[in-house]
Amino acid sequence: MSNYSNNLGYLLKLASKPLELELSGPLKRAPNGYCYLELPRSIRTSFLGLIRSISPEAHIPTPKDDDHDIGAHISVINKKELDTKDIEGLNKEFPFTIEGLDIIEDPEGWPEVKTCYTIRCESKALEKFRQSNGLPKRYKDHNFHITLAVVDR
């Protein structure tokens, strides 16, 4: 069996069942209003070699025009959702659970991306935080996630 087959099998195994690994990260806010959990950059880089073994053109995504390079993160509040400057809970640690790996073809709202590799996360604390700020518990009903790598069109 080739390395490609072994690595693809491993990725699919990760995608198929929850890892149930609980971690946490501090809530941060970028200058443009975007709120996120800050995570170690090593989360992305530790998966990148494995992803590149099945998709050599995969790379860590670069920030869009007005986004800042915040590194590995979980999106919590989109900059368009909330225009208030006062958000309680900044720098507070929020727990989350890693649920698995998703391979998303043609991700919504990202026309320049063909494939997106993400870690699917669950966090009741983040859902409650969003609701306490008058928002639905999830942005556009999307799962919380960590974007690991993308393949451009």
Side-chain angles (χ1 to χ4, degrees), residues 87-122:
I87 293 182
E88 290 192 31
L90 289 179
N91 297 312
K92 177 183 172 194
E93 290 278 325
F94 283 85
F96 64 93
T97 304
I98 291 178
E99 297 287 316
L101 180 74
D102 288 330
I103 301 170
I104 304 162
E105 298 294 333
D106 302 316
E108 176 188 341
W110 220 348
E112 68 275 17
V113 172
K114 179 175 130 184
T115 308
C116 184
Y117 296 87
T118 67
I119 295 175
R120 183 175 56 262
C121 303
E122 182 68 37

mmCIF file of all heavy atoms in Angstrom, residues 87-122:
data_model
loop_
_atom_site.group_PDB
_atom_site.id
_atom_site.type_symbol
_atom_site.label_atom_id
_atom_site.label_comp_id
_atom_site.label_asym_id
_atom_site.label_seq_id
_atom_site.Cartn_x
_atom_site.Cartn_y
_atom_site.Cartn_z
ATOM 1 N N ILE A 87 -16.992 43.915 24.462
ATOM 2 C CA ILE A 87 -17.317 42.496 24.565
ATOM 3 C C ILE A 87 -16.686 41.995 25.845
ATOM 4 O O ILE A 87 -15.468 42.080 26.022
ATOM 5 C CB ILE A 87 -16.796 41.697 23.354
ATOM 6 C CG1 ILE A 87 -17.545 42.113 22.103
ATOM 7 C CG2 ILE A 87 -16.934 40.199 23.595
ATOM 8 C CD1 ILE A 87 -17.138 41.354 20.871
ATOM 9 N N GLU A 88 -17.523 41.499 26.753
ATOM 10 C CA GLU A 88 -16.989 40.931 27.986
ATOM 11 C C GLU A 88 -16.463 39.539 27.708
ATOM 12 O O GLU A 88 -17.041 38.795 26.933
ATOM 13 C CB GLU A 88 -18.075 40.902 29.060
ATOM 14 C CG GLU A 88 -18.432 42.288 29.548
ATOM 15 C CD GLU A 88 -19.284 42.270 30.791
ATOM 16 O OE1 GLU A 88 -19.139 41.329 31.591
ATOM 17 O OE2 GLU A 88 -20.087 43.195 30.943
ATOM 18 N N GLY A 89 -15.369 39.215 28.322
ATOM 19 C CA GLY A 89 -14.812 37.884 28.160
ATOM 20 C C GLY A 89 -13.520 37.846 27.377
ATOM 21 O O GLY A 89 -12.946 36.777 27.201
ATOM 22 N N LEU A 90 -13.061 39.017 26.893
ATOM 23 C CA LEU A 90 -11.784 39.018 26.175
ATOM 24 C C LEU A 90 -10.677 38.522 27.108
ATOM 25 O O LEU A 90 -10.654 38.856 28.293
ATOM 26 C CB LEU A 90 -11.453 40.408 25.641
ATOM 27 C CG LEU A 90 -12.317 40.891 24.480
ATOM 28 C CD1 LEU A 90 -11.916 42.298 24.060
ATOM 29 C CD2 LEU A 90 -12.250 39.949 23.292
ATOM 30 N N ASN A 91 -9.802 37.718 26.577
ATOM 31 C CA ASN A 91 -8.684 37.076 27.279
ATOM 32 C C ASN A 91 -9.101 35.937 28.212
ATOM 33 O O ASN A 91 -8.247 35.278 28.795
ATOM 34 C CB ASN A 91 -7.815 38.086 28.029
ATOM 35 C CG ASN A 91 -7.167 39.058 27.076
ATOM 36 O OD1 ASN A 91 -6.595 38.655 26.078
ATOM 37 N ND2 ASN A 91 -7.272 40.344 27.359
ATOM 38 N N LYS A 92 -10.410 35.701 28.348
ATOM 39 C CA LYS A 92 -10.894 34.573 29.141
ATOM 40 C C LYS A 92 -10.646 33.283 28.358
ATOM 41 O O LYS A 92 -10.771 33.250 27.142
ATOM 42 C CB LYS A 92 -12.391 34.747 29.415
ATOM 43 C CG LYS A 92 -13.011 33.613 30.168
ATOM 44 C CD LYS A 92 -14.502 33.794 30.342
ATOM 45 C CE LYS A 92 -15.089 32.520 30.931
ATOM 46 N NZ LYS A 92 -16.534 32.481 30.834
ATOM 47 N N GLU A 93 -10.286 32.223 29.065
ATOM 48 C CA GLU A 93 -10.083 30.903 28.456
ATOM 49 C C GLU A 93 -11.443 30.243 28.241
ATOM 50 O O GLU A 93 -12.268 30.205 29.151
ATOM 51 C CB GLU A 93 -9.237 30.012 29.359
ATOM 52 C CG GLU A 93 -7.793 30.429 29.468
ATOM 53 C CD GLU A 93 -6.929 29.954 28.308
ATOM 54 O OE1 GLU A 93 -7.163 28.853 27.787
ATOM 55 O OE2 GLU A 93 -6.013 30.709 27.933
ATOM 56 N N PHE A 94 -11.659 29.739 27.033
ATOM 57 C CA PHE A 94 -12.872 29.004 26.705
ATOM 58 C C PHE A 94 -12.496 27.576 26.299
ATOM 59 O O PHE A 94 -11.621 27.384 25.442
ATOM 60 C CB PHE A 94 -13.621 29.672 25.545
ATOM 61 C CG PHE A 94 -14.384 30.894 25.939
ATOM 62 C CD1 PHE A 94 -13.756 32.124 25.994
ATOM 63 C CD2 PHE A 94 -15.726 30.816 26.268
ATOM 64 C CE1 PHE A 94 -14.454 33.265 26.358
ATOM 65 C CE2 PHE A 94 -16.440 31.942 26.631
ATOM 66 C CZ PHE A 94 -15.802 33.176 26.678
ATOM 67 N N PRO A 95 -13.154 26.579 26.905
ATOM 68 C CA PRO A 95 -12.859 25.195 26.542
ATOM 69 C C PRO A 95 -13.557 24.790 25.250
ATOM 70 O O PRO A 95 -14.607 25.336 24.900
ATOM 71 C CB PRO A 95 -13.421 24.394 27.727
ATOM 72 C CG PRO A 95 -14.560 25.224 28.216
ATOM 73 C CD PRO A 95 -14.146 26.660 27.990
ATOM 74 N N PHE A 96 -12.948 23.841 24.551
ATOM 75 C CA PHE A 96 -13.568 23.258 23.368
ATOM 76 C C PHE A 96 -13.092 21.820 23.232
ATOM 77 O O PHE A 96 -12.066 21.434 23.792
ATOM 78 C CB PHE A 96 -13.253 24.071 22.102
ATOM 79 C CG PHE A 96 -11.804 24.101 21.725
ATOM 80 C CD1 PHE A 96 -11.269 23.180 20.823
ATOM 81 C CD2 PHE A 96 -10.952 25.054 22.258
ATOM 82 C CE1 PHE A 96 -9.937 23.210 20.472
ATOM 83 C CE2 PHE A 96 -9.607 25.096 21.909
ATOM 84 C CZ PHE A 96 -9.094 24.175 21.012
ATOM 85 N N THR A 97 -13.849 21.037 22.512
ATOM 86 C CA THR A 97 -13.525 19.637 22.281
ATOM 87 C C THR A 97 -13.287 19.426 20.795
ATOM 88 O O THR A 97 -14.060 19.915 19.967
ATOM 89 C CB THR A 97 -14.677 18.729 22.738
ATOM 90 O OG1 THR A 97 -14.967 19.007 24.106
ATOM 91 C CG2 THR A 97 -14.320 17.262 22.605
ATOM 92 N N ILE A 98 -12.227 18.720 20.466
ATOM 93 C CA ILE A 98 -11.968 18.351 19.081
ATOM 94 C C ILE A 98 -12.845 17.155 18.747
ATOM 95 O O ILE A 98 -12.829 16.148 19.453
ATOM 96 C CB ILE A 98 -10.477 18.024 18.863
ATOM 97 C CG1 ILE A 98 -9.659 19.313 18.993
ATOM 98 C CG2 ILE A 98 -10.257 17.347 17.520
ATOM 99 C CD1 ILE A 98 -8.173 19.122 18.845
ATOM 100 N N GLU A 99 -13.633 17.298 17.694
ATOM 101 C CA GLU A 99 -14.592 16.262 17.324
ATOM 102 C C GLU A 99 -14.152 15.428 16.130
ATOM 103 O O GLU A 99 -14.615 14.315 15.958
ATOM 104 C CB GLU A 99 -15.944 16.911 17.012
ATOM 105 C CG GLU A 99 -16.568 17.621 18.191
ATOM 106 C CD GLU A 99 -17.116 16.676 19.230
ATOM 107 O OE1 GLU A 99 -17.781 15.686 18.849
ATOM 108 O OE2 GLU A 99 -16.878 16.927 20.425
ATOM 109 N N GLY A 100 -13.303 15.954 15.269
ATOM 110 C CA GLY A 100 -12.861 15.200 14.099
ATOM 111 C C GLY A 100 -12.327 16.118 13.026
ATOM 112 O O GLY A 100 -12.231 17.335 13.211
ATOM 113 N N LEU A 101 -12.003 15.532 11.897
ATOM 114 C CA LEU A 101 -11.448 16.268 10.767
ATOM 115 C C LEU A 101 -12.481 16.321 9.652
ATOM 116 O O LEU A 101 -13.139 15.328 9.368
ATOM 117 C CB LEU A 101 -10.188 15.566 10.264
ATOM 118 C CG LEU A 101 -9.492 16.201 9.084
ATOM 119 C CD1 LEU A 101 -8.751 17.452 9.514
ATOM 120 C CD2 LEU A 101 -8.508 15.216 8.458
ATOM 121 N N ASP A 102 -12.640 17.495 9.045
ATOM 122 C CA ASP A 102 -13.544 17.641 7.894
ATOM 123 C C ASP A 102 -12.732 18.035 6.667
ATOM 124 O O ASP A 102 -11.817 18.867 6.756
ATOM 125 C CB ASP A 102 -14.604 18.716 8.147
ATOM 126 C CG ASP A 102 -15.647 18.285 9.157
ATOM 127 O OD1 ASP A 102 -15.921 17.071 9.244
ATOM 128 O OD2 ASP A 102 -16.185 19.152 9.866
ATOM 129 N N ILE A 103 -13.070 17.438 5.546
ATOM 130 C CA ILE A 103 -12.499 17.811 4.250
ATOM 131 C C ILE A 103 -13.654 18.400 3.455
ATOM 132 O O ILE A 103 -14.605 17.696 3.113
ATOM 133 C CB ILE A 103 -11.882 16.581 3.549
ATOM 134 C CG1 ILE A 103 -10.791 15.965 4.434
ATOM 135 C CG2 ILE A 103 -11.327 16.990 2.183
ATOM 136 C CD1 ILE A 103 -10.291 14.615 3.963
ATOM 137 N N ILE A 104 -13.606 19.709 3.224
ATOM 138 C CA ILE A 104 -14.731 20.432 2.619
ATOM 139 C C ILE A 104 -14.370 20.833 1.197
ATOM 140 O O ILE A 104 -13.403 21.565 0.987
ATOM 141 C CB ILE A 104 -15.084 21.685 3.453
ATOM 142 C CG1 ILE A 104 -15.382 21.274 4.906
ATOM 143 C CG2 ILE A 104 -16.247 22.444 2.845
ATOM 144 C CD1 ILE A 104 -15.317 22.416 5.890
ATOM 145 N N GLU A 105 -15.149 20.362 0.253
ATOM 146 C CA GLU A 105 -14.969 20.748 -1.151
ATOM 147 C C GLU A 105 -15.806 21.986 -1.427
ATOM 148 O O GLU A 105 -16.954 22.078 -0.977
ATOM 149 C CB GLU A 105 -15.391 19.599 -2.084
ATOM 150 C CG GLU A 105 -14.570 18.332 -1.914
ATOM 151 C CD GLU A 105 -13.112 18.484 -2.310
ATOM 152 O OE1 GLU A 105 -12.793 19.335 -3.171
ATOM 153 O OE2 GLU A 105 -12.278 17.757 -1.745
ATOM 154 N N ASP A 106 -15.275 22.949 -2.140
ATOM 155 C CA ASP A 106 -15.974 24.187 -2.506
ATOM 156 C C ASP A 106 -16.614 24.869 -1.294
ATOM 157 O O ASP A 106 -17.818 25.037 -1.226
ATOM 158 C CB ASP A 106 -17.033 23.903 -3.578
ATOM 159 C CG ASP A 106 -16.438 23.284 -4.822
ATOM 160 O OD1 ASP A 106 -15.383 23.767 -5.269
ATOM 161 O OD2 ASP A 106 -17.018 22.309 -5.344
ATOM 162 N N PRO A 107 -15.785 25.282 -0.299
ATOM 163 C CA PRO A 107 -16.345 25.887 0.909
ATOM 164 C C PRO A 107 -17.110 27.179 0.617
ATOM 165 O O PRO A 107 -16.668 28.008 -0.181
ATOM 166 C CB PRO A 107 -15.120 26.146 1.779
ATOM 167 C CG PRO A 107 -13.971 26.182 0.841
ATOM 168 C CD PRO A 107 -14.321 25.289 -0.302
ATOM 169 N N GLU A 108 -18.240 27.321 1.268
ATOM 170 C CA GLU A 108 -19.120 28.490 1.104
ATOM 171 C C GLU A 108 -18.383 29.781 1.453
ATOM 172 O O GLU A 108 -17.685 29.861 2.459
ATOM 173 C CB GLU A 108 -20.330 28.323 2.031
ATOM 174 C CG GLU A 108 -21.272 29.481 2.038
ATOM 175 C CD GLU A 108 -22.345 29.349 3.125
ATOM 176 O OE1 GLU A 108 -22.568 28.240 3.622
ATOM 177 O OE2 GLU A 108 -22.936 30.380 3.460
ATOM 178 N N GLY A 109 -18.521 30.788 0.597
ATOM 179 C CA GLY A 109 -17.931 32.099 0.853
ATOM 180 C C GLY A 109 -16.437 32.193 0.606
ATOM 181 O O GLY A 109 -15.811 33.186 0.976
ATOM 182 N N TRP A 110 -15.861 31.174 -0.007
ATOM 183 C CA TRP A 110 -14.424 31.161 -0.258
ATOM 184 C C TRP A 110 -14.198 30.691 -1.690
ATOM 185 O O TRP A 110 -13.662 29.610 -1.926
ATOM 186 C CB TRP A 110 -13.748 30.219 0.727
ATOM 187 C CG TRP A 110 -12.438 30.683 1.277
ATOM 188 C CD1 TRP A 110 -11.687 31.722 0.841
ATOM 189 C CD2 TRP A 110 -11.722 30.086 2.362
ATOM 190 N NE1 TRP A 110 -10.536 31.817 1.594
ATOM 191 C CE2 TRP A 110 -10.541 30.825 2.534
ATOM 192 C CE3 TRP A 110 -11.965 29.012 3.202
ATOM 193 C CZ2 TRP A 110 -9.601 30.530 3.505
ATOM 194 C CZ3 TRP A 110 -11.030 28.715 4.169
ATOM 195 C CH2 TRP A 110 -9.868 29.463 4.330
ATOM 196 N N PRO A 111 -14.594 31.515 -2.678
ATOM 197 C CA PRO A 111 -14.577 31.075 -4.074
ATOM 198 C C PRO A 111 -13.198 30.714 -4.622
ATOM 199 O O PRO A 111 -13.094 29.934 -5.562
ATOM 200 C CB PRO A 111 -15.171 32.260 -4.836
ATOM 201 C CG PRO A 111 -14.991 33.432 -3.940
ATOM 202 C CD PRO A 111 -15.023 32.900 -2.535
ATOM 203 N N GLU A 112 -12.148 31.252 -4.033
ATOM 204 C CA GLU A 112 -10.803 30.964 -4.520
ATOM 205 C C GLU A 112 -10.248 29.636 -3.985
ATOM 206 O O GLU A 112 -9.166 29.203 -4.366
ATOM 207 C CB GLU A 112 -9.844 32.114 -4.186
ATOM 208 C CG GLU A 112 -9.549 32.295 -2.720
ATOM 209 C CD GLU A 112 -10.557 33.136 -1.939
ATOM 210 O OE1 GLU A 112 -11.681 33.364 -2.409
ATOM 211 O OE2 GLU A 112 -10.210 33.563 -0.827
ATOM 212 N N VAL A 113 -11.008 28.986 -3.093
ATOM 213 C CA VAL A 113 -10.552 27.741 -2.475
ATOM 214 C C VAL A 113 -11.333 26.550 -3.023
ATOM 215 O O VAL A 113 -12.562 26.563 -3.066
ATOM 216 C CB VAL A 113 -10.688 27.820 -0.933
ATOM 217 C CG1 VAL A 113 -10.411 26.473 -0.280
ATOM 218 C CG2 VAL A 113 -9.745 28.879 -0.385
ATOM 219 N N LYS A 114 -10.580 25.528 -3.427
ATOM 220 C CA LYS A 114 -11.175 24.292 -3.951
ATOM 221 C C LYS A 114 -11.473 23.300 -2.816
ATOM 222 O O LYS A 114 -12.537 22.697 -2.766
ATOM 223 C CB LYS A 114 -10.204 23.672 -4.957
ATOM 224 C CG LYS A 114 -10.645 22.383 -5.569
ATOM 225 C CD LYS A 114 -9.631 21.954 -6.636
ATOM 226 C CE LYS A 114 -9.230 20.524 -6.417
ATOM 227 N NZ LYS A 114 -8.206 20.072 -7.327
ATOM 228 N N THR A 115 -10.512 23.133 -1.898
ATOM 229 C CA THR A 115 -10.656 22.189 -0.792
ATOM 230 C C THR A 115 -10.142 22.837 0.489
ATOM 231 O O THR A 115 -9.132 23.533 0.472
ATOM 232 C CB THR A 115 -9.846 20.898 -1.060
ATOM 233 O OG1 THR A 115 -10.194 20.388 -2.343
ATOM 234 C CG2 THR A 115 -10.127 19.835 -0.015
ATOM 235 N N CYS A 116 -10.853 22.579 1.574
ATOM 236 C CA CYS A 116 -10.486 23.121 2.874
ATOM 237 C C CYS A 116 -10.429 21.969 3.886
ATOM 238 O O CYS A 116 -11.358 21.160 3.957
ATOM 239 C CB CYS A 116 -11.527 24.161 3.295
ATOM 240 S SG CYS A 116 -11.157 24.992 4.837
ATOM 241 N N TYR A 117 -9.347 21.901 4.646
ATOM 242 C CA TYR A 117 -9.177 20.883 5.685
ATOM 243 C C TYR A 117 -9.341 21.568 7.036
ATOM 244 O O TYR A 117 -8.624 22.520 7.349
ATOM 245 C CB TYR A 117 -7.780 20.259 5.596
ATOM 246 C CG TYR A 117 -7.549 19.508 4.306
ATOM 247 C CD1 TYR A 117 -7.082 20.162 3.169
ATOM 248 C CD2 TYR A 117 -7.806 18.149 4.221
ATOM 249 C CE1 TYR A 117 -6.864 19.473 1.985
ATOM 250 C CE2 TYR A 117 -7.595 17.450 3.036
ATOM 251 C CZ TYR A 117 -7.130 18.123 1.927
ATOM 252 O OH TYR A 117 -6.920 17.438 0.752
ATOM 253 N N THR A 118 -10.302 21.090 7.827
ATOM 254 C CA THR A 118 -10.562 21.715 9.125
ATOM 255 C C THR A 118 -10.663 20.663 10.229
ATOM 256 O O THR A 118 -10.984 19.505 9.967
ATOM 257 C CB THR A 118 -11.878 22.527 9.130
ATOM 258 O OG1 THR A 118 -12.984 21.645 8.999
ATOM 259 C CG2 THR A 118 -11.906 23.568 8.027
ATOM 260 N N ILE A 119 -10.412 21.099 11.452
ATOM 261 C CA ILE A 119 -10.707 20.297 12.633
ATOM 262 C C ILE A 119 -12.047 20.802 13.160
ATOM 263 O O ILE A 119 -12.193 21.984 13.483
ATOM 264 C CB ILE A 119 -9.622 20.444 13.714
ATOM 265 C CG1 ILE A 119 -8.306 19.873 13.228
ATOM 266 C CG2 ILE A 119 -10.068 19.747 14.999
ATOM 267 C CD1 ILE A 119 -7.156 20.083 14.199
ATOM 268 N N ARG A 120 -13.026 19.926 13.225
ATOM 269 C CA ARG A 120 -14.357 20.258 13.747
ATOM 270 C C ARG A 120 -14.295 20.267 15.278
ATOM 271 O O ARG A 120 -13.745 19.362 15.899
ATOM 272 C CB ARG A 120 -15.362 19.205 13.257
ATOM 273 C CG ARG A 120 -16.779 19.432 13.630
ATOM 274 C CD ARG A 120 -17.718 18.391 13.002
ATOM 275 N NE ARG A 120 -17.375 17.006 13.313
ATOM 276 C CZ ARG A 120 -16.689 16.174 12.550
ATOM 277 N NH1 ARG A 120 -16.207 16.565 11.397
ATOM 278 N NH2 ARG A 120 -16.451 14.940 12.926
ATOM 279 N N CYS A 121 -14.832 21.337 15.874
ATOM 280 C CA CYS A 121 -14.791 21.517 17.330
ATOM 281 C C CYS A 121 -16.203 21.724 17.880
ATOM 282 O O CYS A 121 -17.100 22.181 17.181
ATOM 283 C CB CYS A 121 -13.935 22.727 17.690
ATOM 284 S SG CYS A 121 -12.247 22.640 17.073
ATOM 285 N N GLU A 122 -16.345 21.444 19.143
ATOM 286 C CA GLU A 122 -17.609 21.656 19.856
ATOM 287 C C GLU A 122 -17.291 22.475 21.094
ATOM 288 O O GLU A 122 -16.269 22.245 21.756
ATOM 289 C CB GLU A 122 -18.218 20.306 20.245
ATOM 290 C CG GLU A 122 -19.553 20.390 20.935
ATOM 291 C CD GLU A 122 -20.665 20.891 20.028
ATOM 292 O OE1 GLU A 122 -20.678 20.556 18.833
ATOM 293 O OE2 GLU A 122 -21.521 21.644 20.522
#
